[in-house]
Amino acid sequence: MRRSTVLTGGLTGVLTGLFLVACSTGQETLGSDTFSSLDGNNDESTGEDGPGDGDPGDGDGDPGDGDGDPGDGDGDPSGDGDGDGDGDTGDGDGDGDEVCARYLYRHNLANDVWETQPLDLVWTGPNAPPCSVEPKAAAYLEVWDQLLVWGGNGMYYRRIGGAWQPPEPIADRWAVVANLEIDSVTHVPPINGGTSTTVTFVSLPNALLYEVFEDGATNYDQTVVMTDEPPPGPSQSSSVRRWSAVLADPELLGQADWWVSYAGFDDGKIYRFDGAFVWSNWPANQAPVLAGAPPSLDPSKLEAGYGDHGLNRVYLIGP
């Protein structure tokens, strides 16, 4: 992306193409994805007493042994009715359901510590995105502590603080992109005391810009045809951006890392773009954003991502 792509108008100075970069003021937030099931201290908790089911036992809703009855644990030879002893009908986790096929991988960029959990133990509640639904894209609007998720089932999910709101059809708020293949989403926080965040959808070969407000209201802005960047930038007109994660703090405006985005492309590379308009890239298995990643994380299968500047963390979702 080059400085010549800046468009100015109203409250917003926007770089269009791959990502948006703008001036703003804002505040850090502690966010919500702190894996309280591991430390017991926040709203992503998977159970007050036990490992994700709300009882002090083993995941089956009773304080017993994993077979769903309050007796001696021998409801069948293994305790679950399927012969493998896990409390599910298949290769499960003891709660009567199949194992979630998706995981949330959290990377603390300060010390390269990773934590991994099944997605349905982190995104919980009746309004949360189901684990069976592919998240086509996600964005964490840190200034408002809101997590936005666009599902492959055509539904839009919004978490305010720790509470998921009732899901809506994507077409209700995002009509222009409702019938498009959403590759990824990036955002720029509010500008100069403004009241809106700019959210950019990437749907090859276009970038589609929306203005988003704290109350959830949206306004479509424009569509921009993307062009390839010279190396080390990406061939963004032809290479699919599978996921992206933004970390932004407008109070640091003037520093290169006031706004940083990481993105995984289908060319096998991960690209970094910052507030100084500088591109970097690495083969996925050498990228700093994936340093120390657990063996279960396959960069080529990641589906969505988002970042938290205040916590210096990146969150990635995939099998």
Side-chain angles (χ1 to χ4, degrees):
M1 188 177 301
R2 295 168 288 277
R3 292 177 186 270
S4 60
T5 60
V6 176
L7 305 177
T8 59
L11 293 173
T12 307
V14 179
L15 255 79
T16 58
L18 170 59
F19 299 128
L20 298 180
V21 178
C23 305
S24 179
T25 57
Q27 298 180 354
E28 293 183 357
T29 175
L30 291 181
S32 302
D33 284 305
T34 52
F35 281 75
S36 61
S37 60
L38 302 179
D39 59 29
N41 291 322
N42 68 54
D43 66 275
E44 293 285 18
S45 178
T46 58
E48 295 181 358
D49 302 306
D53 59 3
D55 72 67
D58 41 48
D60 62 1
D62 72 69
D65 42 47
D67 62 2
D69 71 66
D72 56 11
D74 60 0
D76 72 276
S78 62
D80 63 1
D82 66 359
D84 55 16
D86 54 21
D88 288 310
T89 57
D91 298 325
D93 52 15
D95 60 3
D97 297 317
E98 300 299 325
V99 170
C100 179
R102 290 186 167 86
Y103 292 84
L104 185 65
Y105 298 91
R106 186 188 75 177
H107 183 192
N108 187 324
L109 298 176
N111 56 16
D112 285 334
V113 170
W114 289 80
E115 295 177 57
T116 304
Q117 277 194 298
L119 192 59
D120 60 357
L121 295 187
V122 185
W123 291 357
T124 59
N127 293 324
C131 186
S132 59
V133 173
E134 177 186 357
K136 303 298 290 185
Y140 179 51
L141 309 186
E142 192 168 345
V143 66
W144 301 324
D145 193 11
Q146 295 188 17
L147 177 62
L148 315 183
V149 179
W150 293 266
N153 59 349
M155 300 299 290
Y156 166 63
Y157 304 84
R158 182 165 65 125
R159 192 185 67 192
I160 302 175
W164 289 98
Q165 307 304 298
E168 311 167 25
I170 292 175
D172 284 2
R173 295 183 191 264
W174 317 93
V176 178
V177 301
N179 296 317
L180 300 179
E181 178 67 23
I182 299 173
D183 299 328
S184 66
V185 166
T186 58
H187 76 281
V188 175
I191 298 170
N192 298 329
T195 59
S196 65
T197 290
T198 305
V199 170
T200 298
F201 295 86
V202 175
S203 181
L204 202 68
N206 297 319
L208 302 96
L209 284 63
Y210 267 86
E211 187 180 17
V212 182
F213 298 86
E214 185 174 6
D215 66 0
T218 63
N219 288 325
Y220 168 70
D221 183 10
Q222 63 177 315
T223 296
V224 177
V225 178
M226 295 183 295
T227 58
D228 293 345
E229 292 293 327
S235 299
Q236 58 185 13
S237 69
S238 57
S239 184
V240 176
R241 185 178 299 98
R242 298 185 183 279
W243 60 268
S244 60
V246 170
L247 300 94
D249 183 355
E251 293 186 352
L252 299 179
L253 184 65
Q255 302 179 26
D257 62 353
W258 84 270
W259 190 94
V260 172
S261 177
Y262 295 94
F265 280 68
D266 67 358
D267 63 1
K269 295 180 180 179
I270 291 178
Y271 293 82
R272 182 185 187 274
F273 184 68
D274 65 27
F277 308 93
V278 174
W279 286 100
S280 306
N281 75 68
W282 305 265
N285 61 2
Q286 299 175 23
V289 73
L290 294 184
S296 59
L297 189 157
D298 182 343
S300 69
K301 295 182 179 180
L302 291 174
E303 298 167 332
Y306 54 97
D308 186 319
H309 190 286
L311 294 178
N312 198 19
R313 292 170 179 166
V314 166
Y315 302 84
L316 301 171
I317 302 162

